[in-house]
Amino acid sequence: MSINSLVNIHTIIPSSEIYGPGVRWVLWTQGCSLGCKGCWNTETWDPDNGKLLSLIELKKSIDDADGVEGITLLGGEPLQQASVMLELIRYAKGKGLSVMLYTGYYEKEFDETMKQCFELSDLVIQGRYVEEKRDPGLLWRGSTNQIIESPTGYYDVEQFEEAQEVEIHIDHDSGQVTVTGYPDADIIKMVEELSNSKMPFKI
Amino acid sequence: MSYITRTGTIQMVDAECVQEVLEEIGATDINISGDAINCRYDGYSITFSKGINGVIGLRVRDPQYYRGNTEIVAESTYHIDLFNNLERRYPIWIREKQEEERKERENQERLRLEKIRIQKEIQAQLQAQKQQDFDSLSQDARTVQIEQQKKSAQRLQELDSDLNESQKALETVQGELSRVAESRKNFLEITQKEIIQRGEEGGWKLSENFVEEQRNVTRIQLRKKQTN
């Protein structure tokens, strides 16, 4: 794997507290062909809509993130870029950071590289989002079929208390507002109202 | 699966700035009152809304929804185009003002340095006059010296006048920029307050609220426990 290998990304948030334990560097990859019905992040599906960053740039971004407990990889579908994810996971582990991985795949669907990503991760949210099983009260997950596990045993998954979480970042320089996590419709509507919006409304 | 969405990078929060930009774009009959900005543009009457936090927004009828009604589609599309244009021009207006401020400061510095130089020249001339017997100079030499002093004094007056003008221009642009900065500060404070207050009204509990200095970002975390 070359350090110039490119990763197709949607967003990086260098510091967040709602994607796993503690403060974490969070990467949303771009591109997902699983097409879960009711997905909240359809804008991360199209691989042509992303931004290509080299592994070296991503590693630097991790290095620059101060005081984080670990990294979290989600998407999109991170394991559709499994070889670069594996490189990132190894890098983070080498720095003593924990790794949390979101994947819509089930273990039985993993190829060899995906399996390695899974096995090295300290926390994995596994499984498709199933709209009929949606439960907003779940911690870090969207539907009840999704499993939390700790393949390395680093975390005791029993200690985590179920709760719905949302994080809102307001950039002081640009005024840009970013909403992440598991907001309800009221939160989304509120943020739309509080920001520049040319959202068409239906009457 | 998790949600992530971002608003546009430019939050237009200063109504007077919006007004000036609209004028630049060619809008007329611009009227700011309460929570609305009304104007006319190319025959269309357009209203922008002003949010509780000062942010300027546009609510239009969805062109997709009214696909069959060509008039509404045309009008809505037109409004969105104008809003996009406004969004493009708004940060340029701010950058231009910042540039104006920078140039005016440079201009003032240049004028100040010239003033100091001329004051020194006058001092030197007076010093020289003291050391020599002015009356013993030829008529021509005296005339030259007197003319020189007059010119210097006149230039000093001009410089003072230019400095005054420059100071006024600087104060104007600084006033505009500080008004924009104040609007942005209000936007940040009210947005933060509203998110927390309305979140709590919706059953969310505030679990974090702090400024991440390194990124210059306010981070608000809300949490809700399921009760079923």
Side-chain angles (χ1 to χ4, degrees), chain A residues 10-11 13-19 28 39-41 43 64 66 74 129 135 137 139 142 146 161-184 187-188 190-203, chain B residues 1-13 51-53 55-63 65-66 80 83-84 87 184 187-188 190-192 194-196 198-199 202 204 207-208 210-212 214-226 228:
Chain A
H10 177 267
T11 305
I13 291 190
S15 175
S16 170
E17 288 183 63
I18 59 165
Y19 292 105
W28 280 262
C39 174
W40 295 359
N41 271 339
E43 63 188 57
D64 290 345
D66 265 350
L74 64 167
Y129 170 68
D135 181 347
L139 183 69
Q146 293 177 312
E161 197 183 34
E162 299 287 10
Q164 183 176 7
E165 289 180 318
V166 63
E167 210 169 63
I168 297 154
H169 298 230
I170 311 169
D171 188 306
H172 291 205
D173 298 322
S174 66
Q176 185 175 49
V177 181
T178 303
V179 184
T180 65
Y182 301 86
D184 56 22
I187 295 271
I188 296 167
M190 170 180 73
V191 172
E192 273 177 12
E193 280 173 19
L194 291 172
S195 58
N196 269 3
S197 176
K198 47 184 173 285
M199 304 274 288
F201 66 85
K202 294 178 173 66
I203 45 175
Chain B
M1 187 197 67
S2 160
Y3 184 87
I4 178 163
T5 192
R6 281 189 157 142
T7 64
T9 50
I10 299 304
Q11 298 297 315
M12 298 188 289
V13 290
I52 190 169
N53 54 356
V55 78
I56 315 295
L58 173 65
R59 298 282 188 273
V60 294
R61 287 176 282 193
D62 182 358
Y65 190 76
Y66 283 93
I80 292 169
F83 193 81
N84 287 342
E87 267 190 327
R184 182 177 289 181
F187 163 80
L188 291 172
I190 297 171
T191 304
Q192 184 180 357
E194 281 289 310
I195 287 173
I196 294 168
R198 287 165 63 174
W204 294 85
S207 47
E208 293 278 7
F210 64 96
V211 176
E212 246 184 78
Q214 203 188 357
R215 291 169 60 212
N216 207 17
V217 159
T218 290
R219 204 163 88 197
I220 300 166
Q221 192 183 325
L222 301 169
R223 209 161 197 269
K224 198 189 250 184
K225 276 194 190 169
Q226 198 69 342
N228 59 352

